Amino acid sequence: MKKLVLTLAALGLAATAAQAQGTYPTRPITMIVPFAAGGPTDVIARIVSDNMSRTLGQQIVIENVAGAGGTTGITRAAQSQPDGYTIMMGHMGTHGAAPALYPNLKYDPAKDFAPIGLAAGTPIVIVAKKDFPATDLKSFLAYLQANGDKVNMAHAGVGSVSHSTGIFFNSVVKAKPTMVAYRGTGPALNDLMGNTVDYMTDQIVNVAPQIQGGNIKAFAIATAERSPALPNVPTTKEAGLESYEVSAWNAVFAPKGTPPEIVAKLNDALVKSLNDENTKKRLLDLGGVIPPAAEQTPAALQKLVESEVARWTPVLKAAGATAE
Ligand code: ASP
């Protein structure tokens, strides 16, 4: 009798869980953005989630939880209930570079998440304040090498995209700027426009509008090809710095243990969003790269995370980067 009751209870629980997944989502979903509002991760999250919300029939509410190069927000998201109601927008920093820089990182990018899918590729652009006394990459590098620690470089915290690609840049060109941390490259860009910091390496979606508007200078884009959004900005190879080729990405993750049916629903909504003309246009106008269909799957994202951790760990160690 006891066994029967237990079995019935177990069946009841299973039925409730199945029902919950069948009707998911029944309430708004929180997407944690681990940086300040207005920066690239935030912008990509807002663009992509807009159409996802329509597919899911529930609002996706963006919550900015900034700090420690994005690892504060991602730690919080990783530790939340794996019920599909808390997801996050991670990136090459939080899920690629961070393990090399935080010996006590509270999550393993390859083990503690249910990947949903890649949201956008984001080439890296080398930008400086408008008044920077250099006209092209060559004169910029000469200035950096001659003026050493008089120059400031902005970044979004240790392990962020701008920090890791910046550390890599500085090691390649032998620059030793003073590093200035922000809670995201949205606020960093404001200071760049205000001429209070000198330069940064950041994701194209953040800087493209200000480059187009002539409010900051762009010396090069670190990809093999120029971006259609910035046709006048030379590639690093064209500008004479072939050894600096680097690109970043943003992607949606859920906490590990999120039921596969929910992961599938979220991935379906993400894929629909990336195929929506309006979403595409908004991302492309900012220089974002829409991932090809084969790269929009959870399995492809899992592989990308593993290869990025493997790629960045030796690069950052060789550059002598630490969490300090
Ligand atoms: N692009 C930033 C980074 O450097 C973060 C942000 O999205 O604000 O990681």
Side-chain angles (χ1 to χ4, degrees), residues 23 30 47 67 87 120 140 191 217 231 234 246 280 288 307 316 324:
T23 54
T30 297
I47 292 175
I87 57 178
F140 175 60
D191 273 7
K217 282 183 179 174
V246 59
K280 275 205 242 181
S307 67
L316 292 168
E324 272 73 56

Side-chain angles (χ1 to χ4, degrees), residues 35 39-41 91 156 160-162 184-186 202-203:
F35 294 100
T41 306
H91 73 353
S160 64
V161 165
S162 47
T185 48
D202 194 28
Q203 298 173 268

Side-chain angles (χ1 to χ4, degrees), residues 146-168:
N147 292 278
D149 53 9
K150 273 186 240 129
V151 185
N152 293 328
M153 181 181 212
H155 65 88
V158 170
S160 64
V161 165
S162 47
H163 177 261
S164 29
T165 60
I167 292 279
F168 177 40

Side-chain angles (χ1 to χ4, degrees), residues 176-187:
K176 289 199 167 49
T178 303
M179 302 295 278
V180 186
Y182 290 82
R183 294 171 75 75
T185 48

Side-chain angles (χ1 to χ4, degrees), residues 64-141:
N64 298 88
V65 183
T71 61
T72 303
I74 296 299
T75 301
R76 171 151 1 139
Q79 291 170 352
S80 61
Q81 279 298 323
D83 56 6
Y85 290 99
T86 305
I87 57 178
M88 70 207 88
M89 184 60 80
H91 73 353
M92 185 222 87
T94 57
H95 286 75
L101 296 167
Y102 293 93
N104 299 317
L105 192 63
K106 296 223 168 52
Y107 61 85
D108 180 333
K111 294 197 182 127
D112 294 331
F113 300 90
I116 303 298
L118 199 54
T122 59
I124 294 296
V125 191
I126 305 165
V127 292
K129 64 182 183 183
K130 204 170 139 191
D131 294 348
F132 200 97
T135 48
D136 56 12
L137 188 66
K138 227 173 154 193
S139 51
F140 175 60
L141 298 187

Side-chain angles (χ1 to χ4, degrees), residues 61-303:
V61 181
I62 305 291
E63 190 184 335
N64 298 88
V65 183
T71 61
T72 303
I74 296 299
T75 301
R76 171 151 1 139
Q79 291 170 352
S80 61
Q81 279 298 323
D83 56 6
Y85 290 99
T86 305
I87 57 178
M88 70 207 88
M89 184 60 80
H91 73 353
M92 185 222 87
T94 57
H95 286 75
L101 296 167
Y102 293 93
N104 299 317
L105 192 63
K106 296 223 168 52
Y107 61 85
D108 180 333
K111 294 197 182 127
D112 294 331
F113 300 90
I116 303 298
L118 199 54
T122 59
I124 294 296
V125 191
I126 305 165
V127 292
K129 64 182 183 183
K130 204 170 139 191
D131 294 348
F132 200 97
T135 48
D136 56 12
L137 188 66
K138 227 173 154 193
S139 51
F140 175 60
L141 298 187
Y143 187 95
L144 284 187
Q145 284 149 6
N147 292 278
D149 53 9
K150 273 186 240 129
V151 185
N152 293 328
M153 181 181 212
H155 65 88
V158 170
S160 64
V161 165
S162 47
H163 177 261
S164 29
T165 60
I167 292 279
F168 177 40
F169 174 78
N170 293 335
S171 78
V172 170
V173 306
K174 304 202 173 15
K176 289 199 167 49
T178 303
M179 302 295 278
V180 186
Y182 290 82
R183 294 171 75 75
T185 48
L189 179 64
N190 285 340
D191 273 7
L192 204 66
M193 287 193 289
N195 275 310
T196 54
V197 278
D198 296 311
Y199 75 106
M200 67 176 174
T201 52
D202 194 28
Q203 298 173 268
I204 191 167
V205 293
N206 192 36
V207 293
Q210 302 308 336
I211 297 168
Q212 289 154 350
N215 298 321
I216 55 171
K217 282 183 179 174
F219 293 125
I221 182 164
T223 37
E225 309 279 332
R226 291 190 183 201
S227 166
L230 296 173
N232 300 326
V233 175
T235 64
T236 39
K237 187 175 178 184
E238 287 172 326
L241 190 64
E242 202 175 341
S243 48
Y244 187 69
E245 229 175 59
V246 59
S247 202
W249 46 269
N250 279 87
V252 182
F253 297 85
K256 174 182 163 181
T258 302
E261 299 82 357
I262 290 181
V263 169
K265 273 198 174 175
L266 288 166
N267 175 263
D268 171 68
L270 176 62
V271 169
K272 287 205 169 93
S273 179
L274 293 177
N275 283 290
D276 168 67
E277 287 309 318
N278 182 42
T279 309
K280 275 205 242 181
K281 185 178 181 326
R282 289 170 73 191
L283 287 173
L284 292 172
D285 283 352
L286 295 172
V289 177
I290 314 280
E295 288 172 25
Q296 294 175 6
T297 65
L301 178 54
Q302 178 65 30
K303 268 208 178 133

